[in-house]
Amino acid sequence: MSIKIKEEKDIVVARQIVKDIAKRLGFSLADITKVSTAVSELARNIYRYAKEGFILVKEKKSGEEVEIEVVALDNGPGIEDIELALKSGYTTTRNSLGLGLSGVKKLMDSFYIESEKGVGTVVIASKRRRAF
């Protein structure tokens, strides 16, 4: 599933789509909230800093293993200092209540980021469904 992020309303659309997918795949309410919050943060970063990009949501199944992978990509300005951007509480926006990339990393089970100044950013994060 590919969601283009270009307008502020696209953030809500991306959040709802991943929420629906996580519900359908049997994720717990807590994990549905974590995944949808992470997607909301990634989509907001695309909208705010790159102006447009994509959120890709992939379902991965292998036997009993179920995982949602989220890829956020843009051709924006890139992140000058990834290490700084991943520090808890770091934000470049005044009065921001956002979780930032560090929050996304904490919410998800795996997290990868690659960014080049002037080229863009790719974030790949995934969440595994917990056994009940």
Coordinates of all heavy atoms in Angstrom, one line a residue, residues 71-118:
V71 N 7.6 2.1 5.4 CA 8.7 2.8 4.7 C 8.3 4.3 4.5 O 7.3 4.5 3.8 CB 9.1 2.1 3.4 CG1 10.3 2.9 2.8 CG2 9.5 0.7 3.6
A72 N 9.0 5.2 5.0 CA 8.8 6.6 4.7 C 9.9 7.1 3.8 O 11.1 7.0 4.2 CB 8.7 7.4 6.0
L73 N 9.6 7.7 2.7 CA 10.6 8.2 1.8 C 10.2 9.5 1.2 O 9.1 9.8 0.9 CB 11.0 7.2 0.7 CG 9.9 6.5 -0.1 CD1 10.0 7.0 -1.5 CD2 10.1 5.0 -0.1
D74 N 11.3 10.3 1.0 CA 11.1 11.6 0.4 C 12.4 12.1 -0.3 O 13.4 11.5 -0.1 CB 10.7 12.7 1.5 CG 11.8 12.9 2.5 OD1 12.8 13.5 2.1 OD2 11.6 12.6 3.7
N75 N 12.2 13.1 -1.1 CA 13.3 13.7 -1.8 C 13.6 15.1 -1.3 O 13.9 16.0 -2.0 CB 13.1 13.8 -3.3 CG 13.0 12.4 -3.9 OD1 13.8 11.6 -3.6 ND2 12.1 12.2 -4.8
G76 N 13.4 15.3 0.0 CA 13.5 16.6 0.7 C 14.9 17.0 1.0 O 15.9 16.4 0.4
P77 N 15.1 17.9 1.9 CA 16.4 18.4 2.2 C 17.4 17.5 2.9 O 18.6 17.7 3.0 CB 16.1 19.6 3.1 CG 14.8 19.3 3.8 CD 14.1 18.5 2.8
G78 N 16.9 16.3 3.4 CA 17.7 15.4 4.1 C 17.9 15.9 5.6 O 17.6 17.0 5.9
I79 N 18.5 15.0 6.3 CA 18.8 15.3 7.7 C 20.3 15.5 7.9 O 21.1 14.6 7.6 CB 18.3 14.2 8.6 CG1 16.8 14.0 8.5 CG2 18.7 14.4 10.1 CD1 16.3 12.7 9.1
E80 N 20.7 16.7 8.4 CA 22.1 17.1 8.5 C 22.8 16.2 9.5 O 23.9 15.7 9.2 CB 22.2 18.5 8.8 CG 23.6 19.1 8.7 CD 23.6 20.6 8.8 OE1 22.7 21.2 8.4 OE2 24.6 21.1 9.3
D81 N 22.2 16.0 10.6 CA 22.8 15.2 11.7 C 21.9 14.1 12.2 O 21.0 14.4 13.1 CB 23.3 16.2 12.8 CG 24.1 15.5 13.9 OD1 24.0 14.3 14.1 OD2 24.8 16.2 14.7
I82 N 22.0 12.9 11.7 CA 21.0 11.9 12.1 C 21.2 11.5 13.6 O 20.2 11.3 14.3 CB 21.2 10.6 11.2 CG1 20.8 10.9 9.8 CG2 20.5 9.4 11.8 CD1 21.0 9.8 8.8
E83 N 22.4 11.5 14.1 CA 22.6 11.2 15.5 C 21.8 12.1 16.4 O 21.2 11.8 17.4 CB 24.1 11.2 15.8 CG 24.4 10.5 17.1 CD 25.9 10.4 17.3 OE1 26.6 10.0 16.4 OE2 26.4 10.8 18.5
L84 N 21.9 13.4 16.1 CA 21.2 14.4 16.8 C 19.7 14.3 16.7 O 19.0 14.4 17.6 CB 21.6 15.8 16.4 CG 21.0 17.0 17.1 CD1 21.3 17.0 18.6 CD2 21.4 18.3 16.4
A85 N 19.3 14.0 15.5 CA 17.8 13.9 15.2 C 17.2 12.7 15.9 O 16.0 12.7 16.2 CB 17.6 13.7 13.7
L86 N 18.0 11.7 16.3 CA 17.6 10.5 17.0 C 17.6 10.7 18.5 O 17.2 9.8 19.2 CB 18.4 9.3 16.6 CG 18.1 8.8 15.2 CD1 19.0 7.7 14.8 CD2 16.6 8.3 15.0
K87 N 18.1 11.8 19.0 CA 18.2 12.0 20.4 C 16.7 12.3 21.0 O 16.0 13.0 20.4 CB 19.1 13.2 20.8 CG 20.5 12.9 20.7 CD 21.4 13.9 21.4 CE 22.8 13.5 21.3 NZ 23.7 14.4 22.0
S88 N 16.4 11.7 22.1 CA 15.1 11.8 22.7 C 14.8 13.3 23.0 O 15.7 14.0 23.5 CB 15.1 11.0 24.0 OG 13.8 11.0 24.5
G89 N 13.7 13.7 22.5 CA 13.2 15.1 22.8 C 13.7 16.1 21.8 O 13.3 17.3 21.8
Y90 N 14.6 15.7 20.8 CA 15.1 16.6 19.8 C 14.0 17.0 18.8 O 13.2 16.2 18.4 CB 16.3 16.0 19.0 CG 16.8 16.9 17.9 CD1 17.6 18.0 18.2 CD2 16.4 16.7 16.6 CE1 18.0 18.9 17.2 CE2 16.8 17.6 15.6 CZ 17.6 18.7 15.9 OH 18.1 19.5 15.0
T91 N 13.9 18.3 18.5 CA 13.0 18.8 17.5 C 13.6 20.1 16.9 O 14.3 20.8 17.5 CB 11.6 19.1 18.1 OG1 10.7 19.5 17.0 CG2 11.6 20.2 19.2
T92 N 13.2 20.3 15.6 CA 13.7 21.5 15.0 C 12.5 22.5 14.9 O 12.6 23.6 14.4 CB 14.2 21.2 13.5 OG1 13.1 20.6 12.8 CG2 15.4 20.3 13.5
T93 N 11.3 22.1 15.4 CA 10.1 22.9 15.3 C 9.8 23.4 16.7 O 9.7 22.7 17.7 CB 8.9 22.0 14.8 OG1 9.3 21.4 13.6 CG2 7.7 22.9 14.6
R94 N 9.7 24.7 16.8 CA 9.3 25.3 18.1 C 8.0 24.9 18.6 O 7.0 24.7 17.8 CB 9.3 26.9 17.9 CG 10.7 27.5 17.8 CD 10.6 28.9 17.8 NE 10.3 29.4 19.1 CZ 10.4 30.6 19.5 NH1 10.8 31.5 18.7 NH2 10.2 30.9 20.8
N95 N 7.9 24.7 19.9 CA 6.6 24.3 20.5 C 6.0 23.0 20.0 O 4.8 22.8 19.9 CB 5.6 25.4 20.4 CG 6.0 26.7 21.0 OD1 6.7 26.7 22.1 ND2 5.8 27.8 20.4
S96 N 6.9 22.1 19.5 CA 6.4 20.8 18.9 C 6.1 19.8 20.1 O 6.8 19.7 21.0 CB 7.5 20.2 18.0 OG 7.2 18.9 17.7
L97 N 5.0 19.1 19.9 CA 4.7 18.0 20.8 C 4.9 16.7 20.2 O 4.6 15.6 20.7 CB 3.2 18.1 21.2 CG 2.8 19.4 22.0 CD1 1.3 19.4 22.3 CD2 3.6 19.5 23.3
G98 N 5.5 16.7 19.0 CA 5.8 15.5 18.3 C 6.8 14.6 19.0 O 7.6 15.1 19.8
L99 N 6.8 13.3 18.6 CA 7.7 12.4 19.2 C 9.1 12.4 18.6 O 10.0 12.0 19.2 CB 7.1 11.0 19.1 CG 5.8 10.7 19.8 CD1 5.3 9.3 19.4 CD2 6.0 10.7 21.3
G100 N 9.1 12.9 17.4 CA 10.4 12.9 16.6 C 10.8 11.5 16.2 O 10.1 10.5 16.5
L101 N 11.9 11.4 15.6 CA 12.4 10.1 15.1 C 12.8 9.2 16.3 O 12.6 7.9 16.2 CB 13.6 10.3 14.2 CG 13.3 10.9 12.8 CD1 14.6 11.3 12.1 CD2 12.4 10.0 12.0
S102 N 13.2 9.7 17.4 CA 13.5 8.9 18.5 C 12.3 8.2 19.0 O 12.3 7.0 19.5 CB 14.2 9.7 19.6 OG 13.3 10.6 20.2
G103 N 11.2 8.9 19.0 CA 9.9 8.3 19.4 C 9.5 7.2 18.5 O 9.0 6.1 19.0
V104 N 9.6 7.4 17.2 CA 9.3 6.3 16.2 C 10.1 5.1 16.5 O 9.6 4.0 16.5 CB 9.5 6.8 14.8 CG1 9.3 5.7 13.8 CG2 8.5 7.9 14.4
K105 N 11.4 5.3 16.7 CA 12.3 4.2 17.0 C 11.9 3.4 18.3 O 12.0 2.2 18.3 CB 13.8 4.8 17.2 CG 14.8 3.7 17.3 CD 16.2 4.3 17.4 CE 17.3 3.3 17.5 NZ 18.6 3.9 17.6
K106 N 11.5 4.1 19.3 CA 11.0 3.5 20.5 C 9.7 2.7 20.3 O 9.5 1.7 21.0 CB 10.8 4.5 21.6 CG 12.1 5.1 22.2 CD 11.9 6.1 23.2 CE 13.2 6.9 23.5 NZ 12.9 8.1 24.3
L107 N 8.8 3.2 19.5 CA 7.5 2.6 19.3 C 7.6 1.3 18.5 O 6.7 0.4 18.6 CB 6.6 3.6 18.6 CG 6.1 4.8 19.4 CD1 5.4 5.8 18.5 CD2 5.2 4.3 20.6
M108 N 8.5 1.2 17.6 CA 8.6 0.1 16.7 C 9.7 -0.9 17.1 O 10.5 -0.6 17.9 CB 8.9 0.6 15.3 CG 7.9 1.7 14.8 SD 6.3 1.0 14.5 CE 6.4 0.4 12.9
D109 N 9.6 -2.1 16.5 CA 10.5 -3.2 16.9 C 11.9 -3.1 16.2 O 12.9 -3.5 16.7 CB 9.9 -4.6 16.6 CG 8.8 -4.8 17.5 OD1 8.8 -4.4 18.7 OD2 7.8 -5.5 17.1
S110 N 11.8 -2.6 14.9 CA 13.1 -2.3 14.2 C 13.0 -1.0 13.6 O 11.9 -0.5 13.3 CB 13.3 -3.4 13.2 OG 12.4 -3.3 12.1
F111 N 14.2 -0.4 13.3 CA 14.2 1.0 12.8 C 15.5 1.2 12.1 O 16.6 0.8 12.5 CB 14.2 2.0 14.0 CG 14.2 3.4 13.6 CD1 13.1 4.1 13.3 CD2 15.5 4.1 13.5 CE1 13.2 5.5 13.0 CE2 15.5 5.4 13.2 CZ 14.4 6.1 12.9
Y112 N 15.4 1.7 10.9 CA 16.6 2.0 10.0 C 16.3 3.4 9.4 O 15.2 3.7 8.9 CB 16.7 0.9 8.9 CG 17.7 1.3 7.9 CD1 19.1 1.1 8.0 CD2 17.3 1.9 6.7 CE1 20.0 1.4 7.1 CE2 18.2 2.2 5.7 CZ 19.5 2.0 5.9 OH 20.4 2.3 4.9
I113 N 17.4 4.2 9.3 CA 17.3 5.5 8.6 C 18.5 5.7 7.8 O 19.6 5.4 8.2 CB 17.0 6.6 9.6 CG1 16.8 8.0 8.9 CG2 18.2 6.7 10.6 CD1 16.3 9.1 9.8
E114 N 18.3 6.3 6.6 CA 19.3 6.8 5.8 C 18.9 8.1 5.2 O 17.8 8.3 4.7 CB 19.5 5.8 4.6 CG 20.7 6.1 3.8 CD 21.0 5.0 2.7 OE1 21.1 3.8 3.1 OE2 21.1 5.3 1.6
S115 N 19.8 9.1 5.3 CA 19.5 10.4 4.8 C 20.7 11.1 4.2 O 21.8 10.9 4.8 CB 18.9 11.3 5.9 OG 18.5 12.5 5.5
E116 N 20.5 11.8 3.2 CA 21.6 12.5 2.6 C 21.2 14.0 2.3 O 20.1 14.2 1.7 CB 22.0 11.9 1.2 CG 23.3 12.5 0.6 CD 23.8 11.8 -0.6 OE1 23.5 10.6 -0.8 OE2 24.5 12.4 -1.4
K117 N 21.9 14.9 2.8 CA 21.6 16.3 2.7 C 21.4 16.7 1.2 O 22.2 16.3 0.4 CB 22.7 17.2 3.3 CG 22.3 18.6 3.5 CD 23.2 19.2 4.5 CE 23.1 20.7 4.7 NZ 21.8 21.2 4.9
G118 N 20.3 17.3 0.9 CA 19.9 17.7 -0.5 C 19.4 16.6 -1.3 O 19.0 16.8 -2.5

